[in-house]
Amino acid sequence: MMQHYEMSDLGLLYHFLGMGVLQTDKHIFLHHKKYALKVIEKFGLKDCKSVVTPLVASETLCKEDGSEAANESEYRQIVGSLLYLTATRLDIMFASSLLARFMHNPTRKHMGTAKRVLRYIQGTLDYGIEFIKGKTATLIGYCDSDWAGSEDDRRSTSGYAFTLGSGMFSWASIKQNTVALSTAEAEYVSAAEATSQAKWLRFVLEDFGEEQVEGTPILCDNTSAIAMAKNPVFHQKTRHISRKFHFIREGIQAKEIELIYCKTEDQIADILTKALSKYRFVYLRDLLGVKSAKGLEGSVDA
């Protein structure tokens, strides 16, 4: 690029828009430690007691929970900061997306939950995404969904994540636009959304010279959803589903994607759809590639 444009070589990248970058011969580590510290200090939680998970598994949030109104401006600032952190901290993706549903008229319970996520960040400041060098650049996806998880409209939440060998580089946690009548339907919609992302990623990777010759495997833990996707006949169980979700069948027939069954306990995208228990959350967080920098060469102290 220096042969075509006027530019200076400033050496290895260490910081970019609040993101820290640690590079060694074996890996690249992305983190937001500096930004996270500023956020925690800004909202007066510098010396707070940390928690192990961002959300309590047994608690749910709704618009009208009976508690008093909270400071809307402060709440929006917290949620906005958390959403920015998700660029390297996909372990808080579901929590941040959930809190973002209550930007208008938040309650004290919503505020307490938002500050709990900050307390979780306080205990995991040196965490980020680890990408290990030398891995085969094969695109693999995971998709999952809860069922009727929203207390207000009973809609489900879809989650998907994609990796190119180590560490996730594309992910989302999205509330579905329609009410699913069954777990199979919710998982089917989630798989369709993951298929849309997979097709776009394949297109981008081809431009980068990393063409995916084989169909992209997308791992799903619902056998009924897989059967619905592979059956081209519209039958009673699927005729009410919006047609836009059925293009997943075209992807399978064109051999662009391959929907594969995986066990529920190995479904990484589960962390993007619901609040989990401590042990389940930590287990899936490790599988996502979100790890502490303490065991790596170098540090994120700077």
Side-chain angles (χ1 to χ4, degrees):
M1 291 182 67
M2 294 178 68
Q3 296 176 357
H4 297 277
Y5 305 100
E6 287 189 19
M7 58 175 60
S8 301
D9 185 359
L10 301 178
L12 291 176
L13 176 67
Y14 290 100
H15 295 284
F16 180 74
L17 296 177
M19 180 188 300
V21 182
L22 175 63
Q23 302 183 58
T24 71
D25 294 336
K26 297 181 180 179
H27 62 254
I28 297 175
F29 187 79
L30 306 180
H31 65 90
H32 264 113
K33 182 175 182 179
K34 269 192 172 182
Y35 180 77
L37 273 171
K38 290 181 180 179
V39 172
I40 291 171
E41 291 176 359
K42 177 180 179 180
F43 297 106
L45 295 173
K46 183 178 180 180
D47 299 318
C48 68
K49 183 179 179 181
S50 63
V51 292
V52 181
T53 59
L55 297 173
V56 179
S58 58
E59 288 187 0
T60 57
L61 297 179
C62 59
K63 292 181 179 179
E64 302 293 338
D65 55 28
S67 61
E68 298 177 3
N71 186 318
E72 188 171 304
S73 176
E74 182 184 8
Y75 180 81
R76 290 183 175 185
Q77 290 179 49
I78 293 176
V79 175
S81 299
L82 291 175
L83 288 171
Y84 189 78
L85 280 171
T86 59
T88 59
R89 296 296 302 271
L90 59 161
D91 51 331
I92 63 167
M93 185 73 245
F94 171 71
S96 302
S97 299
L98 176 64
L99 292 169
R101 301 175 189 176
F102 309 104
M103 290 292 210
H104 183 61
N105 294 330
T107 66
R108 295 187 67 177
K109 183 176 181 180
H110 299 145
M111 180 67 79
T113 303
K115 289 189 174 182
R116 176 188 170 88
V117 180
L118 290 178
R119 290 169 58 200
Y120 167 73
I121 294 295
Q122 166 74 359
T124 55
L125 282 173
D126 59 349
Y127 276 56
I129 305 179
E130 178 190 18
F131 297 97
I132 301 173
K133 296 181 181 180
K135 297 288 185 179
T136 304
T138 301
L139 184 64
I140 301 174
Y142 297 83
C143 69
D144 194 26
S145 173
D146 70 344
W147 183 43
S150 174
E151 291 289 327
D152 296 306
D153 52 20
R154 309 313 300 178
R155 294 182 184 179
S156 306
T157 299
S158 297
Y160 63 73
F162 288 88
T163 177
L164 267 177
S166 71
M168 300 295 164
F169 74 101
S170 177
W171 57 84
S173 178
I174 313 166
K175 187 163 79 166
Q176 296 178 4
N177 294 325
T178 57
V179 177
L181 301 182
S182 65
T183 55
E185 181 179 337
E187 295 273 4
Y188 183 76
V189 172
S190 175
E193 292 169 343
T195 297
S196 176
Q197 182 71 0
K199 295 182 76 170
W200 180 77
L201 290 174
R202 287 171 63 90
F203 174 76
V204 173
L205 289 171
E206 185 177 354
D207 280 350
F208 290 162
E210 294 290 348
E211 181 180 1
Q212 302 295 298
V213 179
E214 302 293 333
T216 298
I218 298 179
L219 281 70
C220 174
D221 62 1
N222 190 287
T223 54
S224 296
I226 295 174
M228 289 163 60
K230 293 183 177 180
N231 184 0
V233 179
F234 286 80
H235 48 72
Q236 187 174 0
K237 290 184 178 180
T238 60
R239 64 185 181 186
H240 65 282
I241 300 177
S242 177
R243 292 182 180 180
K244 68 178 181 180
F245 297 116
H246 290 304
F247 83 99
I248 184 176
R249 296 171 177 171
E250 294 183 0
I252 293 175
Q253 291 172 0
K255 295 184 179 180
E256 292 179 322
I257 69 156
E258 184 180 2
L259 209 56
I260 300 175
Y261 173 76
C262 75
K263 296 180 180 180
T264 300
E265 53 266 29
D266 297 325
Q267 179 53 267
I268 297 177
D270 193 32
I271 199 173
L272 301 171
T273 64
K274 62 181 74 70
L276 302 173
S277 64
K278 170 185 173 181
Y279 299 104
R280 174 73 173 160
F281 179 83
V282 172
Y283 172 70
L284 293 181
R285 183 181 65 188
D286 290 341
L287 293 181
L288 284 173
V290 178
K291 300 178 181 178
S292 171
K294 291 180 179 179
L296 306 176
E297 298 175 18
S299 70
V300 295
D301 294 334

